[in-house]
């Protein structure tokens, strides 16, 4: 996976997007669906639930909760406000 500095920078970018999105969180079922995708991915350290991709390296139990985030491999996407209103 990415080194400590790269992981920190990647997390800072993700946290910045999360703040810009109003710190919106997903519903528990949406989070679990994302984590299930991660668990089946070859790039996931399932013991620590960390993405090993160089462009990620995040703790997935945190990143999967944030509406603004998406998988670097495109396996799950960020959820937009319009996506949430269309499901209600």
């Amino acid at each position: 996976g990415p080194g400590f500095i790269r992981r920190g920078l990647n997390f800072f970018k993700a946290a910045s997007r999360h703040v810009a999105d109003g710190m919106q969180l997903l519903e528990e079922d949406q989070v679990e669906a994302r984590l299930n995708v991660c668990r089946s991915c070859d790039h996931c350290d399932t013991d620590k639930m960390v993405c090993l991709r160089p462009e990620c390296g995040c703790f997935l139990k945190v990143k999967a909760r944030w509406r603004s985030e998406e998988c670097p491999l495109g396996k799950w996407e960020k959820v937009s406000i319009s996506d949430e209103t269309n499901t209600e």
Side-chain angles (χ1 to χ4, degrees):
F4 182 75
I5 293 173
R6 169 56 60 194
R7 285 178 68 187
L9 180 60
N10 291 347
F11 185 78
F12 176 77
K13 289 178 184 178
S16 297
R17 288 188 298 267
H18 179 55
V19 169
D21 187 48
M23 299 179 65
Q24 297 296 311
L25 302 175
L26 295 179
E27 297 294 325
E28 196 58 39
D29 60 327
Q30 294 170 301
V31 174
E32 197 54 38
R34 284 180 168 191
L35 291 175
N36 284 335
V37 169
C38 295
R39 286 181 187 105
S40 66
C41 181
D42 293 339
H43 301 285
C44 179
D45 177 340
T46 56
D47 291 332
K48 297 178 185 173
M49 284 308 290
V50 172
C51 179
L52 301 177
R53 295 290 305 167
E55 59 273 27
C56 189
C58 290
F59 292 102
L60 296 167
K61 288 185 178 182
V62 174
K63 187 175 180 179
R65 293 189 176 285
W66 295 351
R67 181 179 74 177
S68 60
E69 293 309 296
E70 59 191 334
C71 169
L73 298 174
K75 294 186 177 189
W76 46 265
E77 298 178 348
K78 63 184 174 181
V79 177
S80 68
I81 295 170
S82 62
D83 291 340
E84 288 190 335
T85 56
N86 289 335
T87 61
E88 294 178 359

